[in-house]
Each structure stands twice: as C-alpha cells, then as structure tokens.
Amino acid sequence: MTSTPHSFQVDLRGLVDLLSHHLYSSPRVYVRELLQNAVDAVTARRALDPEAEIRIRLSTSDGRVTIEDSGIGLTATEAHSFLATIGRSSKRGGEGTAEEISGLEATRQEFLGQFGIGLLACFVVARQIRVVTRSARDPQAAPVEWLATDDGSYTVRELPHEARPEPGTTVVLEGRPGAAEWTVPAKVEQLARDYGSLLPYDITFDDGEGGEPRPVTDRPAVWDRSFPTPAARRVALAGHCAQLFGFTPLDSIDLDLPVAGVRGVAYVLPEPTSPAHRAGHRVHLKGMLLTDRADNLLPDWAFFVRAVLDTDTLRPTASRENLYDDETLAAVRDALGARVRGWLAELAASEPERLAAFLRVHHLGVKSMARHDSELLGLMLPWLPFETSDGTMSLEQFAAAHRDVHFTRTVEEFRQIAPIAAAHGLGVINAGYTYDADLLSLLPSVRPELKVTELDAGAVTERLDPVPTSAELELAPFLATARTRLEPQGCDVVLRAFQPVSVPALYLDDRQARQERDRTAALESADSLWSGILGALRGSAPRARLVLNHNNPLIRRISALPDEALTGTAVESLYGQALLMSQRPLRPADSTLLNRAFLGLLEWATHPTESSEEQK
C-alpha cells in the first residue's frame, strides 16, 4: 500500500498568537524584523554589486509603518517561496543558480535573520502587509506586489516597470485594531534607535510631518571611537552608560575579544546590588540589538557590572531575544570574566585608591561570591576590608602586622575585646558580619603562612599581664570568694593586669565554653537516663572566664572589703556588668543573679551597718 505525501498547513492566526504570546516577549520586535530584513537585503545587494547606492528609510503616517531599502529585492517566484513560507529564509541559499547560491553562501555570515519567520512576525501589530519589490539579480524581471492579510491569505502580482524603476523593496504595515500604540511615530523612532543604532548602514526615520529625515544609526559604537585623551573617553563612556542604563558608573572595563568577534564595554555599578540579582546585559548581533536582558553573558560573580557589546559569533535563540547557551558562549563568558578579573588585578596592582572605592560599594557582594570562586577569592581576599582590633583595613595590611589571626564570631564579642586586644598586641578580626567567618576560614588557602583561629578565652588571657605572685597570694581569699560565687554560673575567675585601666572586668568565653554551658543546662532539666549520658560527656572543656583587672582601682577596693557577703555581691555585680557589656543573651540564671546583686547593693547602700549585721 503506497502512502501519499502531504504538506503541513499553517493557521496564520494561530501563528500570530504563538509569536505574540510565546515566542516574542513584546510586539515591539516587529520593528526589529523590518530593520533586519532591510539590512539583510542591502547586504546581499552589496555582495552582488559593491558600487550600488545603499539606503534604508523608515517612516510612519496615518497608522501605517513603511520601510524602504535599495537591497537585493525579490522576483515573483522568490516572493512566493520566501515571504509566505515558515522556516525558509532567502538568506539560507539552496535554490537558484549555482552562481546565486555561491554568492548567498559567501555573505551568509553577514545576515541577521536565519530562522525564516521573516515578515510574518510583523502580523503581531499589522492586519495587512504590502510588499513592493524588484530584483537586482534579474534586471529584466518586473516589480512584484505581495499583499497579505492576517486571515492567512496573500496575493502576488507583477506590476508595471514604472511602479518601481530601481531594485529594492518597500514594506508597508497597516496596523491592526488594538495595536495603535506600536505605530505612533515617536514609538517607532524610539524602537528603531533602540534596535538599530549600531547597524552597519545608514538608516533614517521620517515622522511624516514634513521635516528632514533623522538618523537612526549612531556609529561607530562609543567604545570604538577615538578621543583626544583617556579622560575624554571616560567621560564619553560615562555619558553613554547614563543614557543606556540610567546610572553614572564607578568605572568602565573594555570587553575586547577580537578572536571571538566580541567588542564592548562593562560599566561598574555605583550602588550595591545583590549577587543573586540576575543582571541584564545588552547584546547586539552584527549591530542589531538582540536583547537588553542577557543574563548568561558574564559569570555570576561579575554581578557588579552591566555590559553592552556587539558580536558576530554568538548564536541567538529562535526568538532572537537571548543568547543560545552553547560551548561558544561558555568560552566567551569565561574570556569576558577574565577581562573583568584583569581589571580588578590592575586596580590592585597600580590603583589601590580606585580599588578601595570599588570595594566600599561592592565588598559584601564580592565576599559572597568569593566563597565559591577560588580565583576571585585569591584575587580579592587580600584587599577586602575587615573590621579589626587595629581598625578597618584589608587583610593584606592586617597580615603584615599579625601572623596569628584571631577572629570572633559575633560583633558583640569583638566590640568587647577589641580595645583590650589592641592594647596588648593581639590581632583580632570581627567575623560577625555576613560571610566574614567563611572567608577567614579560607584565608590559609590563599596565604598558607598565616594561622587563623577562632578567638578563645585562653588566648586572650595569655596576652594579658600576669599579676605578681605575691599580690595574687595576698588576694587568694578574695579570689576564692569570687570563684565560689560564680561557680553556679559555670564561670571561672582569674586576676590579670591589663589596659585600659577603666575596664574593671572582662567576660570571656568561646564556642567550647558555650557548648559546655548548654550541656550543663540540658543536664539540669534532663531525666535520669539523659542525665547519665550527658554527665558522661563532661570533660575538661574550658569554661567562661571573668578576668578581673588588677590595675583598676575599683577591683582593688572590692578585694580589700572585710565583709565576705558584700564582696560576693560586688563580684556578682562585676560579672553582670561584664556580661551586659558583652551584649550576650542572658540566661534565666544570669537574670536572677543580676537582680540579686542589684538589690543586694541597694540594700547595703541604704542600710550598710544593719545589712552587714543581718548577713553575719
């Protein structure tokens, strides 16, 4: 049994719905399709006749949009074949004489359109499309009129030679109901400039009001223009960025990849932005704007720039509104990332002030991305600003003074310890801010000679000046009372001499001490089974410490009090004050102690003699 081949049938109304609601993001692309066809036509004409006069003129009048070109034109047969057939493009070759096909293939890489949707895409705004064209390949062929409506029908007829004496094409769109906003002269001109400013041929626009046609193209691109000085170029690029993206950049980075056919510039954002925000870059394909929302052009870590470039190698998607993510784009993305890294490296090496200005704005985002990008980490980590016991500085500066790097995990802990650490030469970094602790843990991978550890109570205590043995023995009863009073809080008491003198006591703990305290709290509330298990876990883990400052006059007076009960109350008050200064959360037992110490001191202050007698 034989089968009979059949041709696919296309419902044009369904196609228009597909294009306008699914393939294209907006009806605005119809202007791009008009420009694209005109540019491809004159490109083919130039290949056929390099001396031919080239012109492209876009105009609007009474709800109609017209574009006229002096391009290659079409014969009646070609109009049937190419204007009304989905998937077939005159730019692909494959039909005609060997000479014609050869000429088409030789210039195919210069064409913008390759998907064969062509003028049918203009039905997103038009109810009727009229094309009058005359072929430059066949000078004897008569002009042709191709007339199509959005119901899916079209007619083709030959016209008298005088209807179009010269080769080329004129396309007239008659707007469809509800699409009037897309045929307003100001809108059409704005879209033409947006899409076609970098196209390789002069294009003009006529608004139908009798004035001189205005240029649409603005070549060469600003990054390719010559300027008298580097400063003049920076000013021009800043103005271009403000016009294009709406901000004045911190700096600009040339994106020049001749081998990949890419040329453009990246502008550095002047305000912080989230690394999670998908950047919208502008990409031109052979001068035609492809998209202003390309989010796969640069590496994710380059979130702090907005790029605009022109390419003749990257592939567009079928809608021609984004880049096809293939191996070529991946290679270009890596190369563009290398350009941005090179800019950062150049700033780090020769212009630290400009690098500092950049990091003041984008340090948080750079820190976020550096955690996952080893190259960016190695490049930027030494220069990222951190809050340290020596002031805000880069890790490069900090490491020059401290080989042993200590850090705190909370801002409160750092604020308490920073003045004392600075006075005693202990290098401490505040890692309480977002990403800082993660980055510091990676620092040895970049600077192996550095030792990075979380600050613990023992490290601080060892840096503080010891009290003479004789003085400590003399104060042994006082220290015994203090330790007894603070034993229920899981806190040891030590005596040291440190600066500043105005600080009477310093509360120190670390992660292990906090874990031990949490274990003890769990033990107190656990049943017999868990009490046994948690009790078995008790070890020699360090405990929190209250470091009393022997240089402080108040500590000396408290240590000399004859009343042991009053001494204990005073020690509890010192503990509470140091705990509050550390800004740590208070446990119920700490709140109870603070209340007891406060009321005890009030009692003693109002009835010192009676209170002392009662306590005895």
Side-chain angles (χ1 to χ4, degrees), residues 205-495:
F205 175 79
D206 185 351
D207 60 11
E209 295 183 0
E212 285 293 320
R214 296 183 288 271
V216 168
T217 46
D218 185 21
R219 303 184 321 275
V222 64
W223 54 81
D224 284 329
R225 296 174 189 172
S226 297
F227 295 94
T229 64
R233 186 174 190 269
R234 283 197 296 270
V235 170
L237 288 174
H240 177 251
C241 178
Q243 181 181 15
L244 205 60
F245 294 114
F247 65 84
T248 301
L250 282 178
D251 206 346
S252 58
I253 308 167
D254 283 320
L255 303 177
D256 185 11
L257 303 174
V259 175
V262 172
R263 185 87 173 107
V265 64
Y267 295 114
V268 182
L269 291 165
E271 301 291 341
T273 186
S274 169
H277 177 67
R278 303 293 286 180
H281 306 295
R282 290 178 65 93
V283 178
H284 295 258
L285 180 61
K286 300 182 180 71
M288 179 74 77
L289 178 67
L290 182 70
T291 179
D292 57 5
R293 296 188 297 275
D295 57 6
N296 54 357
L297 180 65
L298 291 175
D300 289 341
W301 59 260
F303 62 91
F304 48 83
V305 299
R306 294 292 179 270
V308 53
L309 55 81
D310 190 21
T311 175
D312 57 15
T313 59
L314 300 178
R315 291 175 57 197
T317 58
S319 67
R320 301 184 57 78
E321 294 191 294
N322 213 332
L323 293 171
Y324 187 75
D325 213 332
D326 56 8
E327 293 181 359
T328 302
L329 178 58
V332 168
R333 182 164 50 236
D334 290 343
L336 293 177
R339 285 284 189 272
V340 178
R341 281 196 181 93
W343 171 77
L344 289 171
E346 182 180 349
L347 291 187
S350 60
E351 300 185 76
E353 292 184 359
R354 288 174 65 197
L355 178 64
F358 164 74
L359 289 176
R360 277 195 295 271
V361 176
H362 295 294
H363 66 277
L364 187 61
V366 171
K367 286 179 178 181
S368 171
M369 298 306 297
R371 296 176 302 151
H372 309 294
D373 188 302
S374 58
E375 290 187 45
L376 186 64
L377 174 71
L379 179 63
M380 297 307 301
L381 185 55
W383 303 99
L384 290 171
F386 286 84
E387 186 178 9
T388 78
S389 52
D390 296 341
T392 299
M393 61 181 62
S394 70
L395 285 180
E396 191 77 13
Q397 296 170 309
F398 187 79
H402 303 280
R403 291 298 179 189
D404 291 335
V405 178
H406 300 276
F407 67 91
T408 64
R409 288 189 177 272
T410 65
V411 175
E412 295 76 21
E413 186 178 1
F414 174 81
R415 297 283 165 77
Q416 185 193 22
I417 200 64
I420 298 165
H424 293 268
L426 183 66
V428 181
I429 294 178
N430 180 6
Y433 296 119
T434 307
Y435 312 128
D436 285 3
D438 293 339
L439 288 175
L440 288 173
S441 67
L442 296 172
L443 180 58
S445 67
V446 179
R447 298 286 298 271
E449 72 277 12
L450 297 179
K451 180 182 179 182
V452 180
T453 56
E454 184 176 352
L455 184 69
D456 59 54
V460 178
T461 305
E462 289 172 4
R463 286 299 186 102
L464 304 180
D465 297 332
V467 176
T469 304
S470 58
E472 191 160 5
L473 288 174
E474 183 180 345
L475 296 177
F478 161 69
L479 293 174
T481 299
R483 288 166 182 149
T484 300
R485 278 300 185 101
L486 296 184
E487 175 63 27
Q489 310 306 123
C491 183
D492 290 334
V493 178
V494 296
L495 187 66

